[in-house]
């Protein structure tokens, strides 16, 4: 099964890996171009993240980065779950669920009243994790943020 670790996103290269992994994975699996969107999120977290209000985690399998998630401040009462990803080779180890739990627990401990997220229709496994964790669908609409039209 391998050794699974969830750790803080605080090592050199972590944010760069998040950008690279999202760019490569979503291009390969969905033919999406996500790097501009992901780069803005990563850069904003690096430049403006506050340890008491923002956090990130890296999932490792046998010491190799294979997943990520961020919890970022949206406003004083609301946090946003961002950039959840689990490499296909590491799926089935419960890493996605653990990453979502880290984000939820941090948001609660940081005193946020709400935790929100945005996802896209093809990401069925992530949507299942979110629903299991208690998130509810509040709206949907089409967009072209990654190239082709997608239901968000």
């Amino acid at each position: 099964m391998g050794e699974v670790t969830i750790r803080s996103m605080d090592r050199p290269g972590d944010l760069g890996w998040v950008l690279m992994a999202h760019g490569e994975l979503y291009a390969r699996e969905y033919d999406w171009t996500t790097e501009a969107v992901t780069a803005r999120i990563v850069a904003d977290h690096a430049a403006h993240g506050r340890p008491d209000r923002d956090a990130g985690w890296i999932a490792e399998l046998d010491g190799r980065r294979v997943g990520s998630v961020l919890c970022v401040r949206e406003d004083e009462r609301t946090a946003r779950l961002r950039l959840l990803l689990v490499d296909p080779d590491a799926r089935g180890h419960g890493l996605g669920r653990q990453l979502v739990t880290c984000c939820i627990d941090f948001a609660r401990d940081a005193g946020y009243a709400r935790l929100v997220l945005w996802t896209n229709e093809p990401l069925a496994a992530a949507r299942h994790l979110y629903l299991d964790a208690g998130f509810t669908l509040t709206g949907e609409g089409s967009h072209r943020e990654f190239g082709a039209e997608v239901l968000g």
Side-chain angles (χ1 to χ4, degrees):
M1 175 140 174
E3 182 182 346
V4 172
T5 306
I6 305 291
R7 63 169 178 80
S8 294
M9 190 182 293
D10 58 3
R11 295 183 187 164
D14 283 347
L15 292 174
W17 180 85
V18 170
L19 177 57
M20 180 192 74
H22 277 77
E24 290 177 352
L25 179 75
Y26 287 117
R28 185 173 59 246
E29 289 193 345
Y30 301 101
D31 200 27
W32 291 350
T33 304
T34 64
E35 285 166 295
V37 173
T38 306
R40 284 190 295 275
I41 295 166
V42 166
D44 189 50
H45 177 73
H48 305 293
R50 295 176 11 204
D52 61 329
R53 304 297 279 164
D54 306 275
W57 297 269
I58 292 286
E60 293 181 334
L61 182 60
D62 294 329
R64 181 175 62 92
R65 292 177 185 106
V66 294
S68 66
V69 72
L70 290 175
C71 183
V72 299
R73 178 185 175 274
E74 182 126 330
D75 60 41
E76 285 306 313
R77 296 183 41 78
T78 307
R80 181 171 292 273
L81 184 152
R82 307 291 316 248
L83 302 180
L84 176 68
L85 176 132
V86 176
D87 184 274
D89 294 338
R91 293 178 185 160
H93 293 275
L95 295 172
R97 189 171 311 281
Q98 290 178 56
L99 289 165
V100 169
T101 298
C102 286
C103 189
I104 291 168
D105 290 348
F106 176 84
R108 185 176 291 123
D109 292 346
Y112 288 109
R114 292 181 46 204
L115 179 62
V116 299
L117 62 89
W118 177 68
T119 191
N120 292 283
E121 190 276 326
L123 306 177
R127 197 169 55 252
H128 179 74
L129 289 175
Y130 301 143
L131 292 171
D132 279 355
F135 288 90
T136 58
L137 178 65
T138 60
E140 56 188 13
S142 296
H143 68 89
R144 293 185 174 276
E145 197 161 6
F146 309 135
E149 187 168 330
V150 178
L151 181 63

